[in-house]
Amino acid sequence: MNIAVIGSGLIGQAWAIVFARGGHAVRMWDGDPAAVGKALTLIAGQVADLQQAGLIDAPEALLGRIQGCQTLEEAMAGAAYVQENLPEKLEIKKEIFARMDKIAPPGTVLASSTSSIPASAFTAELPGRFRCLIAHPVNPPYLVPVVEICGAPWTDPHVVQEAWDVMESVGQKPVKILRELEGFILNRLQGALLREAFKLVEQGYVDAEGLDVTVREGLGLRWSFMGPFETIDLNAPDGLADYAHRFGAMYTSIAKEQTSTEPWSEALIAKLEAQRRRVLPTDQLLARRAWRDRRLMGLAAHKKAADNEAK
Amino acid sequence: MNIAVIGSGLIGQAWAIVFARGGHAVRMWDGDPAAVGKALTLIAGQVADLQQAGLIDAPEALLGRIQGCQTLEEAMAGAAYVQENLPEKLEIKKEIFARMDKIAPPGTVLASSTSSIPASAFTAELPGRFRCLIAHPVNPPYLVPVVEICGAPWTDPHVVQEAWDVMESVGQKPVKILRELEGFILNRLQGALLREAFKLVEQGYVDAEGLDVTVREGLGLRWSFMGPFETIDLNAPDGLADYAHRFGAMYTSIAKEQTSTEPWSEALIAKLEAQRRRVLPTDQLLARRAWRDRRLMGLAAHKKAADNEAK
């Protein structure tokens, strides 16, 4: 399949790797003509890291499937699927989708990586709005496989399924979101947990490091291979309903203390920032991000092996 | 160090393994005289599984450090630390702590595994209430290392530190909870996320399996080795405060839709239960729990190796 990647920043680069790793021919374009060349260099570096981590086999073949293009038309020529990754501004999304909708034949799927703008906000006026939707990755998608697929009310369900199939064909884990909503699923879940986390530190029950330990040495372990529903389904003798009946009253009682909607105060943000800087000084942020990516690579390799063993 | 494990059910058995694995001499007692013998057999089976997963080296030596006892006095003789694991009933906790407080010299730490009853509820009247506290594990603690340490208002801070040190000495990851609260930290965070998860399915945005994929292929990956604060600290160029300023408005906006305090309805519970049973039929629950424990063992071994590499 030919796939166009529009925008060659961090997300565009990562998508190019994902699609090329999955065997597709990728054409990449950027509004800034110099950007694509730089992106190809950065992609080569990422691919070398992935090879070293044992996550890809044939780096040259993969890189050979990624081609830089000088015009949007050239990038989209023959593409069955387009993944757009321009900056998170409504006007930019409106403009690029209008251009793409003019260029692409009606059978081409037009997907945006946006994490914050619903498809209905920038596709309403387009003749081809039925083939437009969101395919929201988590950065970097070659290490974090989930992709949130969310159409506008007018998106054709077959197009949603096509996008889902493309993602599955390249080893991603697509999730269908059935109605538009702010933050999609992932960030709404993250927001719910962060709100309680911020409040527990604000009210002096625990410090930031203690809370992180609680998750990374406890709660996060099961969630990294099961998710919250399977976790509770296996945590009561007779499954999820049994769990809900055993612990529902406790969670309802706790929920009554989890209703705050105040913005995080500057004092609280400063307190948490100070606690983080004691654990990790500012000048070590960059190195720690590289560590995080190595850990994600190691975890991806571990999960792949564990999944294969279970088969 | 001599450690007494009081109660020989699943949690008591797991604690015996943790303490013996850490090199301590463990004496175990149960109100039901037949239970301890059965527990020792079950422990031997668990230890064999751990050896096969490469998580322990010398199973015979470990098992040799665990001894069953016929009386509470015998189990507590010479113990510097006591871990209580009787059923989650206030009256039972009151009775056993009164007995233990009479038997143990003042220097002995008395800890309860309770997940739901604060220490102040069953230690208020005890002469030795200053050395009583909660050390709440996640099951099974030999695979999930976090331990929530939470004293009553009258617990001596040195005793809290002693319990923390015992847990660290055996490779657990203790977290100090600085004031009593319902659900401690872990279940409050789980509750916040579950509430949003239940609601997203109830309102038809996603199904149970899609939500689980979002966590196990996305959100849960970073949380399994970083925790939520480190995750956001590394997710904005200048750290946590930078992240809070970039995304605080979005999370506040979402929070306004996350204030429900209704109990989970029977209809919703039935809907989720049905969705889970389509993914995992009832007769496969047991086998899936064994799979979960193998995955936890594999993840523990992977994290241990990754931590060592980083040193």
Side-chain angles (χ1 to χ4, degrees), chain A residues 18-30:
Chain A
V18 167
F19 296 132
R21 182 180 64 183
H24 299 299
V26 177
R27 289 185 177 194
M28 185 181 246
W29 173 82
D30 197 283

Side-chain angles (χ1 to χ4, degrees), chain B residues 42 81 166 170 236 298:
Chain B
L42 291 167
Y81 181 90
V166 167
V170 295

Side-chain angles (χ1 to χ4, degrees), chain A residues 139 179 203 222 230 288, chain B residues 139 179 203 222 288:
Chain A
N139 199 30
R179 286 160 58 202
Q203 299 187 343
R222 287 169 181 174
E230 180 158 24
R288 190 70 176 172
Chain B
N139 198 31
R179 286 159 59 202
Q203 300 188 343
R222 287 170 180 172
R288 191 71 176 171

Side-chain angles (χ1 to χ4, degrees), chain B residues 35-244:
Chain B
V36 175
K38 285 181 205 154
L40 292 175
T41 307
L42 291 167
I43 286 171
Q46 287 298 314
V47 166
D49 287 351
L50 289 170
Q51 186 196 14
Q52 217 169 5
L55 289 169
I56 56 165
D57 303 321
E60 276 84 27
L62 188 162
L63 293 172
R65 286 192 286 272
I66 305 176
Q67 184 190 330
C69 295
Q70 291 305 310
T71 66
L72 183 59
E73 287 75 9
E74 191 192 339
M76 291 179 63
Y81 181 90
V82 179
Q83 183 80 36
E84 173 278 322
N85 316 278
L86 298 192
E88 292 281 83
K89 295 228 157 74
L90 181 58
E91 283 314 307
I92 294 177
K93 300 294 184 196
K94 276 188 174 166
E95 193 202 327
I96 189 69
F97 267 76
R99 286 179 69 188
M100 296 194 304
D101 192 45
K102 267 200 195 119
I103 295 169
T108 302
V109 175
L110 304 181
S112 173
S113 295
T114 177
S115 65
S116 60
I117 311 174
S120 57
F122 56 87
T123 65
E125 314 293 330
L126 302 180
R129 63 183 195 169
F130 65 90
R131 43 77 174 263
C132 297
L133 78 177
I134 310 295
H136 170 231
V138 177
N139 198 31
Y142 50 76
L143 294 179
V144 183
V146 71
V147 184
E148 298 183 287
I149 309 274
C150 186
W154 44 76
T155 305
D156 184 337
H158 294 102
V159 169
V160 172
Q161 186 60 45
E162 261 186 90
W164 201 95
D165 292 343
V166 167
M167 289 302 162
E168 217 191 28
S169 79
V170 295
Q172 299 302 101
K173 304 289 182 179
V175 172
K176 280 187 199 173
I177 300 179
L178 309 168
R179 286 159 59 202
E180 288 186 327
L181 82 171
E182 185 178 11
F184 304 125
I185 304 302
L186 188 144
N187 279 325
R188 289 185 79 91
L189 295 174
Q190 177 162 237
L193 187 134
L194 281 178
R195 180 147 293 266
E196 179 66 4
F198 273 65
K199 208 192 63 190
L200 289 170
V201 174
E202 184 171 40
Q203 300 188 343
Y205 290 110
V206 69
D207 65 11
E209 180 61 9
L211 191 134
D212 270 359
V213 170
T214 307
V215 175
R216 74 173 182 249
E217 307 292 350
L219 207 45
L221 300 182
R222 287 170 180 172
W223 286 351
S224 75
F225 62 92
M226 292 196 293
F229 285 126
E230 180 157 25
T231 294
I232 65 172
D233 195 36
L234 301 182
N235 256 355
D238 292 326
L240 184 144
D242 187 14
Y243 183 95

